[in-house]
Amino acid sequence: MLEQYFSDERIINQICKERVKRAGSRHDRQYVYRLAGCSNESAPRHHFYNLMPPRRQWSAFRPRYRTDGLNPDLFALKKAVRTLRYQRPELPWVVELNRYIESIRERVLNSQSFAFVSPTVNWVLKKKGQHEYRALCQFSPDDNLILCLYAMYLRDVFDSQFSNSSFAFRAARNGQMPTHHDAFNEIYNLRDSCGKRDLYVAECDIKGFFDAVDHNVALCAFRKAAQKVQLHPRAEVLFQAYLDCYSFPGNVLAVERRLKRSDSKGHFKWPRHELRKLHGADPCSLRIGVAQGGAVSGIIANLIMDAADKCVETERAKLGAEIHYYRYCDDMVLVSPNRKDCQAVFVAYLNKLGNLKLAYHQPVNTYVYGAKHWGHKSKAPYCWSGRRWFGCVPWIQFVGYQIRYDALVRPRKESVMKQCLKLVDTTNMLKFGLIAASHRYQIRASKHQALASLRAKLTAQGVGRVKGYIAGPKPMCWASGYKSLHNKPIIDRALRTFDKTRRKQIRRLGAAQIEYGEGTNGSNNNNRRNPAGYEFSYHAQFKNLGGQTLVRNPWKPANLLERFQGWLYRLLKDWC
């Protein structure tokens, strides 16, 4: 069965995806220089370019009509490769492609000493203004192709064993892969079906999950799952090779000195103290951590966390209680109408994480709801309710969404800030890029063209390409990432903030002191609409079912009397 995942068609599809992805990245990097009329980047030398037809050939296969969700470049490239590979087998790129496919298949299925090359470790700042970085790994093109196809194989083979409560890195269900939208809809429908009944919620987040995975635990989970399915003999060889090529102490901590050259206070956060307690030894001497950015890491997450999922199901059956459990990668939430049942299952879940040698953020009790509630990553059972009393919280947060007790919804605050910063960064890239280019070149684009280009880019990032006024989020944009808000009561303050920020950024570029040119004489696409007006706004992408009515009577934060009651409750609890 593993051979089917390394067929000619699957390998070619993966190469096409990588080729289009790299073309898109290069196109984005050249954005400023196209408007300025100059170029600072030579043609790419990636060896995948030698396996594909030249851009001029596969551009002729672009679809005549573009539909939502269709990537025209990827469609055209796949069609061009399929057609030309059989019509013109003597072409140099066809010969090289056939040779490459055979070499990949030989390496995966027959190589005696199979091994992955250790990935290159890069880093990205977690939050602006701080010095904490996240380590991201980049594998070589050949290894990345093998890992992507191998991950597909493992996902399809093991998926039937996993609990339906997990929604990340899963195989298709009813022809569609589960997403974070499905997890959100499950919780939303539960809240909607419970009416005014209070529910108790517990949340847990694991500290640096991918960086804290023990290799022995991962291998044991793999072998345990392999006993229940018919696995290819080479599957464990590839799995062991993936674990051997990377560890957090050996690969990430080794480059921390290089990070400090650019940021003297920069560091990679790692729960070293907690891991020392769990392992009973110095974690730097152990094989801990899987690569963030590797395709197989998501499958490892499900293999390990499936034991915690089964623990919840066992405790639920033992208590005979109504417990609703949802997990997306390492984030989980428990919901129950009974506090004691929720607490009992939550404690069993935390104990299971200890057995798996995973450190978690200590749960915090919520006595009085306030801003501090959102700063805690793990939360002990609290009452999800509209009551203003001890331990009552009006909102629950999961997978980027927030749901109020009366079914009002909104995107989480961090997601709103991140999108606004993305709009600002895109504008800064164009503004300061044109200013720098104007000192060396005569900019070709006119001011009108620069503003129109920025408006189109910000619109595409936020709401995609809009064809007529059709309600509902469009693919490949921010609105698509939060499409489950559609047809629900929404707090639209965030959507109005996005539209206001976008208008402000366009005005910022218009006010910048830039010496523009007379404009380019390229051919104009008369069919493309000017992305301005209500239909291109964030607000227009979602149908708001009574959200404004619910907002007029919001849940108010605790007043002075309730704060005193919370203080008194904590005092009595400690005294007793």
Side-chain angles (χ1 to χ4, degrees):
M1 187 176 179
L2 182 63
E3 293 85 351
Q4 299 176 5
Y5 287 81
F6 287 88
S7 63
D8 290 11
E9 183 178 359
R10 287 180 181 265
I11 293 177
I12 290 173
N13 287 344
Q14 199 61 39
I15 297 174
C16 291
K17 289 179 182 179
E18 184 66 22
R19 171 69 175 86
V20 171
K21 179 182 177 181
R22 290 184 175 272
S25 298
R26 183 169 183 264
H27 183 270
D28 292 339
R29 291 193 300 270
Q30 292 287 329
Y31 173 57
V32 174
Y33 298 97
R34 286 195 304 274
L35 287 174
C38 58
S39 177
N40 72 330
E41 183 176 350
S42 59
R45 297 181 179 180
H46 194 277
H47 78 275
F48 276 4
Y49 281 66
N50 299 327
L51 309 178
M52 298 281 103
R55 183 67 178 257
R56 292 181 180 179
Q57 292 185 14
W58 55 270
S59 293
F61 291 86
R62 292 174 66 87
R64 186 173 181 180
Y65 300 102
R66 179 171 180 172
T67 59
D68 287 344
L70 175 67
N71 186 328
D73 291 331
L74 183 58
F75 175 87
L77 181 55
K78 287 181 179 180
K79 188 175 180 179
V81 172
R82 284 196 304 266
T83 303
L84 298 176
R85 186 170 177 238
Y86 292 102
Q87 292 181 354
R88 302 284 302 279
E90 75 284 355
L91 292 175
W93 67 264
V94 175
V95 175
E96 186 65 21
L97 175 62
N98 292 335
R99 186 202 61 79
Y100 179 78
I101 292 174
E102 290 301 323
S103 67
I104 289 293
R105 215 162 15 227
E106 177 67 22
R107 181 186 172 194
V108 171
L109 301 176
N110 301 316
S111 176
Q112 295 297 324
S113 57
F114 184 89
F116 290 111
V117 179
S118 294
T120 303
V121 177
N122 301 311
W123 51 80
V124 60
L125 189 65
K126 285 189 174 181
K127 187 177 294 186
K128 285 190 174 182
Q130 298 184 2
H131 302 279
E132 185 178 324
Y133 290 81
R134 176 182 288 109
L136 298 179
C137 299
Q138 184 177 7
F139 287 86
S140 67
D142 294 354
D143 287 352
N144 187 62
L145 183 144
I146 294 173
L147 287 173
C148 288
L149 297 177
Y150 176 56
M152 294 180 190
Y153 168 73
L154 293 181
R155 184 184 61 205
D156 292 342
V157 169
F158 290 141
D159 192 75
S160 60
Q161 301 183 39
F162 298 148
S163 170
N164 290 332
S165 300
S166 67
F167 294 86
F169 314 114
R170 300 298 301 273
R173 303 177 187 173
N174 300 323
Q176 190 171 3
M177 295 181 64
T179 64
H180 65 287
H181 306 297
D182 299 302
F184 164 75
N185 287 326
E186 290 275 349
I187 299 177
Y188 183 87
N189 294 334
L190 173 64
R191 174 72 269 182
D192 197 38
S193 63
C194 288
K196 297 183 179 180
R197 183 174 58 159
D198 290 344
L199 297 173
Y200 294 91
V201 180
E203 304 175 25
C204 180
D205 182 69
I206 299 174
K207 289 186 176 181
F209 175 74
F210 290 108
D211 299 334
V213 168
D214 182 81
H215 287 195
N216 291 329
V217 174
L219 188 59
C220 289
F222 176 86
R223 289 173 175 171
K224 182 179 179 180
Q227 293 175 358
K228 303 176 183 179
V229 296
Q230 187 176 358
L231 207 62
H232 194 279
R234 295 285 291 181
E236 185 171 341
V237 175
L238 271 66
F239 191 84
Q240 184 67 62
Y242 184 73
L243 295 178
D244 292 341
C245 75
Y246 174 90
S247 71
F248 190 88
N251 293 76
V252 178
L253 297 184
V255 302
E256 196 169 45
R257 184 180 300 177
R258 185 156 51 94
L259 167 64
K260 291 185 180 297
R261 296 176 185 171
S262 56
D263 185 352
S264 59
K265 297 182 180 179
H267 65 279
F268 299 106
K269 189 174 181 180
W270 196 45
R272 182 176 304 183
H273 180 67
E274 293 85 348
L275 291 174
R276 182 188 296 272
K277 287 184 176 181
L278 291 170
H279 291 270
D282 183 8
C284 292
S285 63
L286 304 175
R287 299 289 299 176
I288 297 177
V290 293
Q292 291 197 50
V296 180
S297 295
I299 310 300
I300 293 176
N302 280 342
L303 287 170
I304 294 177
M305 294 303 296
D306 185 61
D309 299 343
K310 297 296 193 297
C311 175
V312 171
E313 295 175 356
T314 301
E315 290 296 320
R316 177 171 54 194
K318 185 187 303 182
L319 295 172
E322 181 184 349
I323 300 289
H324 303 275
Y325 169 67
Y326 310 95
R327 180 178 64 82
Y328 192 85
C329 194
D330 62 319
D331 294 333
M332 62 80 72
V333 61
L334 282 171
V335 185
S336 175
N338 187 290
R339 179 189 288 273
K340 291 184 178 180
D341 292 339
C342 186
Q343 178 67 28
V345 176
F346 189 55
V347 170
Y349 177 85
L350 297 181
N351 291 336
K352 190 62 180 180
L353 292 184
N355 296 335
L356 296 172
K357 299 181 180 180
L358 295 172
Y360 54 85
H361 295 272
Q362 289 299 322
V364 178
N365 287 297
T366 300
Y367 298 107
V368 178
Y369 171 69
K372 292 183 179 179
H373 172 80
W374 300 108
H376 306 309
K377 293 190 175 182
S378 294
K379 304 177 182 69
Y382 59 85
C383 183
W384 185 18
S385 168
R387 294 188 299 154
R388 304 173 182 87
W389 195 244
F390 301 128
C392 292
V393 177
W395 294 92
I396 182 176
Q397 178 173 279
F398 194 54
V399 292
Y401 293 97
Q402 293 178 349
I403 313 171
R404 205 167 72 174
Y405 67 94
D406 55 0
L408 189 66
V409 297
R410 67 184 180 188
R412 60 182 297 195
K413 184 178 179 180
E414 290 80 2
S415 302
V416 175
M417 295 176 60
K418 185 177 180 180
Q419 178 64 12
C420 288
L421 287 175
K422 185 176 181 180
L423 298 177
V424 174
D425 290 342
T426 301
T427 305
N428 288 340
M429 177 187 66
L430 180 58
K431 174 184 173 180
F432 296 111
L434 289 178
I435 291 176
S438 64
H439 295 159
R440 294 178 294 171
Y441 311 100
Q442 174 61 45
I443 295 179
R444 294 176 57 191
S446 65
K447 182 176 182 179
H448 173 75
Q449 288 175 331
L451 292 175
S453 177
L454 178 63
R455 184 181 295 109
K457 192 171 187 64
L458 296 182
T459 301
Q461 289 178 353
V463 302
R465 295 175 178 266
V466 179
K467 297 181 179 179
Y469 182 63
I470 303 175
K474 309 302 180 291
M476 302 174 66
C477 61
W478 181 92
S480 178
Y482 287 86
K483 63 183 180 182
S484 291
L485 296 175
H486 186 54
N487 283 331
K488 293 180 178 65
I490 311 169
I491 293 182
D492 57 2
R493 186 181 306 165
L495 306 179
R496 298 181 186 278
T497 299
F498 292 146
D499 293 325
K500 182 179 179 180
T501 303
R502 187 169 63 186
R503 292 192 297 268
K504 181 179 178 180
Q505 299 312 307
I506 295 173
R507 290 196 300 269
R508 278 187 60 220
L509 180 63
Q513 299 298 322
I514 302 175
E515 296 182 4
Y516 292 99
E518 298 180 356
T520 59
N521 297 321
S523 59
N524 295 323
N525 186 356
N526 297 324
N527 296 325
R528 178 173 295 181
R529 303 181 63 188
N530 180 28
Y534 178 73
E535 63 192 273
F536 292 93
S537 67
Y538 286 81
H539 194 271
Q541 308 308 310
F542 305 94
K543 185 177 181 181
N544 192 342
L545 299 183
Q548 194 61 37
T549 303
L550 293 176
V551 171
R552 292 188 186 125
N553 185 23
W555 191 94
K556 297 181 180 179
N559 56 30
L560 183 61
L561 176 61
E562 292 170 3
R563 292 186 182 277
F564 173 75
Q565 292 171 345
W567 172 81
L568 180 61
Y569 178 83
R570 291 193 296 271
L571 180 64
L572 293 175
K573 182 176 180 295
D574 295 337
W575 181 71
C576 296

